[in-house]
Amino acid sequence: MLLASIPAIIPGGSGLLLLLLFLYLLPTAVAVKRAHHQLPAILIVNVFLGWTFLGWVIALAMAFTAVDPPPPKQAARPGPPGVDASPVD
């Protein structure tokens, strides 16, 4: 209720509200920017526990942990010797 009344109390309060929302979701934004493999877990911790300062710090720490590289793409293996693997028209 208090946050909803900020724009009415403070001139330019909608900008303040957007800034507070951005800061609250900063751990999720960092994880998205880094294409973090644990993005869903970071989002859950951020949204549900971020209001406790400790939950927000944990989500931020998770967002800055090492990112697993994507698995290497495997080249298509050819079929058995003597078999043409080209597509049939």
Side-chain angles (χ1 to χ4, degrees):
M1 186 70 179
L2 176 63
L3 290 178
S5 62
I6 287 177
I9 297 171
I10 302 171
S14 59
L16 177 64
L17 185 60
L18 289 175
L19 176 65
L20 291 174
L21 184 63
F22 174 75
L23 289 175
Y24 183 80
L25 295 174
L26 183 63
T28 300
V30 169
V32 167
K33 178 72 175 161
R34 298 183 71 218
H36 203 287
H37 63 283
Q38 290 291 334
L39 176 61
I42 294 168
L43 177 65
I44 289 170
V45 170
N46 190 190
V47 169
F48 292 111
L49 297 175
W51 62 273
T52 68
F53 183 70
L54 182 60
W56 186 86
V57 170
I58 290 171
L60 188 63
M62 289 172 65
F64 279 112
T65 58
V67 177
D68 286 346
K73 294 183 178 179
Q74 295 182 355
R77 296 189 306 184
V83 176
D84 184 17
S86 62
V88 179
D89 289 334

